[in-house]
Amino acid sequence: MEIERRSLTGWGRTAPSVSALVSATLDELSAGGLDALTDSRGAIARGLGRSYGDPAQNGGGVVVELEPGDDPIRVDAVAGTASVDAGVSFDQLLRAIVPVGWFVPVTPGTRFVTVGGAVASDIHGKNHHADGSFGAHVRRLGMLMADGSQRSITAESDPDLWWATIGGMGLTGLITEVTFDLIPIESRHCVVDTERVPNLDALIEKMEASDHLYRYSVAWIDLVATGRHLGRSVLSMGNHATLDELTELDPSALSSPLDFDPPVLPDVPAGVPNVLNRLAVRAFNELWYRKTPRRHHGTESLTGFFHPLDMVGQWSRLYGRHGFLQYQFVVPFSAVDTLRRIVETIAGEGHASFLAVLKRFGDESGGMLSFPRPGWTLTLDLPAGVDGLGSLLGELDDLVLGVGGRHYLAKDAFATPEVVACGYPRLEEWKAVRRSVDPDGAWASDQARRLDLL
Ligand SMILES: Cc1cc2nc3c(=O)[nH]c(=O)nc-3n(C[C@H](O)[C@H](O)[C@H](O)COP(=O)(O)OP(=O)(O)OC[C@H]3O[C@@H](n4cnc5c(N)ncnc54)[C@H](O)[C@@H]3O)c2cc1C
């Protein structure tokens, strides 16, 4: 077991705090190692720190990185499932399963998250409208509880603990192993339709009409454009490519259709100034929109389609020393007017959002604190430390909560206890389950203290 005093942040690099960072195997932790380390500030699990704010930090307390064991990825090809140690990353997992014809049921926009982090945030992907969130595909969880016991649970054996843990931000216990469904694939490519859409209303119409034809669908949206260009977008929709489709569209890919070895480029160096200012973002958005063909049908690699940002290591450093916030909310489908008003507000305020994506969510998974619910979800990046950001986000919060929407805890660095209580109607139920399995508050994080989740 390694212990190191470390200043930690989330991916947005906004609120550092110093913790005892412990890297340990399950055997070391269950042999009482964690107990010996934990004091009144408690402990929290950390995966790869890809949540944006402070859920995987615990200032003054312990942060635990669970090291995978000797045989961390076990595929059951007959059942179509994988049982994976929670500290395994999607990068490691995909390198193991794609070459043998499987894909994860849900992937976020980066491969650098762990399976434990995926369950704790109940992550969603481009296929949420079709397949729901990651938690909907989990069959069994291994857990290390606050009292030191190890448990193996299912939705049937322990429904309360199960639905408090899926989306529970690590606050019910340490997830040690996850069994989940896989998707069979014939190739490492997707067949993708890409289309330029001139404004928000056209985009909404298009997504409503065509999402059901594709497993994956998401729109990049230009939040700088105003007037008749408000909400202009690039919509991309796809499915996994079959060998027949490759024969027609990309015969050169047929020689080794399941090879998967995504390139990893050098990291952005530490200490670069913020280059993603308003001018740069405006220019980037213009270029991105114009360079996209009006309509295109073709193949893209899994990496290009799902994880293009992973091509640049540590890209969050491009926001300079203040870091950045990611703001993600969902509003019901009936609240299209509010969605339009939010896009107008952001574009009108002149804050530059380099990355903004719009997506339609499908059914909820059942997680008490899971974020996705049926409706429109918008995600935007905003540089921290710029004037007027707090009042803009406050204004957006009121609009979101006013129509029964909510914010994603894995992206949050700004919410208040009131905002979370309003957005998550099952919060008190969740707290009661949490107290029943952790009466002394052994699991605690900066976010949990900030949002009054303990
Ligand atoms: C570029 C980028 C794109 C992204 N795209 C998406 C997206 O499309 N959809 C989406 O849903 N999210 C997305 N995310 C967010 C990301 O998927 C989640 O924040 C995810 O939880 C990060 O996983 P992690 O392993 O880094 O966990 P961390 O950030 O380290 O931790 C996140 C939470 O999980 C808990 N946790 C981690 N491991 C365990 C464990 N073993 N047991 C119990 N709790 C644990 C932590 O305590 C913490 O509360 C994106 C993030 C980035 C940086």
Side-chain angles (χ1 to χ4, degrees), residues 59 69 105 118 156 160 181 231 244 257 268 281 312 316 353 371 379 381-382:
E156 292 71 37
D160 290 344
D181 296 333
D244 285 348
V268 171
V281 170
V312 183
S316 66
S353 178
F371 166 65
T379 311
D381 282 1
L382 291 163

Side-chain angles (χ1 to χ4, degrees), residues 203-205 207-208 211 329-336 339 358-361 371 373-378:
L203 177 65
I204 288 170
E205 211 174 291
M207 289 177 93
E208 282 173 348
D211 261 11
F329 64 85
V330 56
V331 292
F333 286 124
S334 56
V336 168
L339 177 66
L358 185 70
K359 153 122 216 92
R360 289 172 71 250
F361 273 159
F371 166 65
R373 49 150 296 164
W376 293 99
T377 182
L378 180 67

Side-chain angles (χ1 to χ4, degrees), residues 11 44-45 47-51 108-109 114 117 120-121 123-124 169-170 175 408:
W11 188 243
I44 193 71
L48 285 171
R50 258 34 179 212
S51 44
T114 62
S121 296
I123 59 162
H124 56 272
M169 303 309 287
I175 300 162
Y408 189 13

Side-chain angles (χ1 to χ4, degrees), residues 135 138-141 153-155 158-166:
V138 178
R139 300 281 155 244
R140 181 174 289 278
L141 291 174
I153 64 168
T154 65
D158 299 84
D160 290 344
L161 178 57
W162 182 267
W163 293 117
T165 299
I166 289 178

Side-chain angles (χ1 to χ4, degrees), residues 8 11 105 109 119 148 194 210 279 385 409:
L8 298 171
W11 188 243
V119 174
T194 309
S210 56
L279 270 181
L409 295 176

